[in-house]
Amino acid sequence: MNESESRRSFAPDLAVNPAGEFLVVWDGLGADGNAAGTTARHFDETGVPLGPAFLINRTIADDQESPVVSAGSTEHVVVAWDSFGQDGDYHITILHVSGLGDTGYFS
């Protein structure tokens, strides 16, 4: 799931959509250039990656960790995570499973 063997990854979660594709989210130390970042990767129904891993959190300062994901439809997922040192403790985003087309970011 993580393309970089030099970074420690932990706290994974995944959601499967009706087509069998799945999105895996996890914490990655240094993934966002500072402390822990929330990262994701999209896979097809056979486990083949459908693109590179991508960063979920927008804020870089401090830790963004403990992600959870839920599939809302074939194309969209909801991801929530803890955010330390930001304007709120938790953040939620709704996005296309490919990581493109972020449709909302809430705290």
Side-chain angles (χ1 to χ4, degrees):
M1 111 187 132
N2 183 0
E3 300 155 312
S4 173
E5 294 180 20
S6 64
R7 289 196 307 245
R8 183 173 156 235
S9 300
F10 53 98
D13 192 29
L14 70 88
V16 181
N17 70 19
E21 297 174 350
F22 57 97
L23 187 79
V24 179
V25 295
W26 68 91
D27 293 340
L29 290 179
D32 61 6
N34 180 16
T38 296
T39 308
R41 194 161 189 194
H42 182 203
F43 295 85
D44 75 10
E45 66 280 355
T46 66
V48 174
L50 295 174
F54 56 92
L55 191 63
I56 297 287
N57 55 282
R58 293 181 189 168
T59 297
I60 305 302
D62 298 320
D63 289 329
Q64 318 297 316
E65 60 185 34
S66 304
V68 292
V69 62
S70 178
S73 70
T74 302
E75 296 184 357
H76 291 93
V77 294
V78 176
V79 181
W81 66 95
D82 290 339
S83 179
F84 298 97
Q86 209 172 334
D87 56 354
D89 290 332
Y90 302 99
H91 287 267
I92 300 168
T93 190
I94 302 167
L95 62 132
H96 190 274
V97 290
S98 67
L100 303 174
D102 184 339
T103 60
Y105 195 84
F106 314 94
S107 53

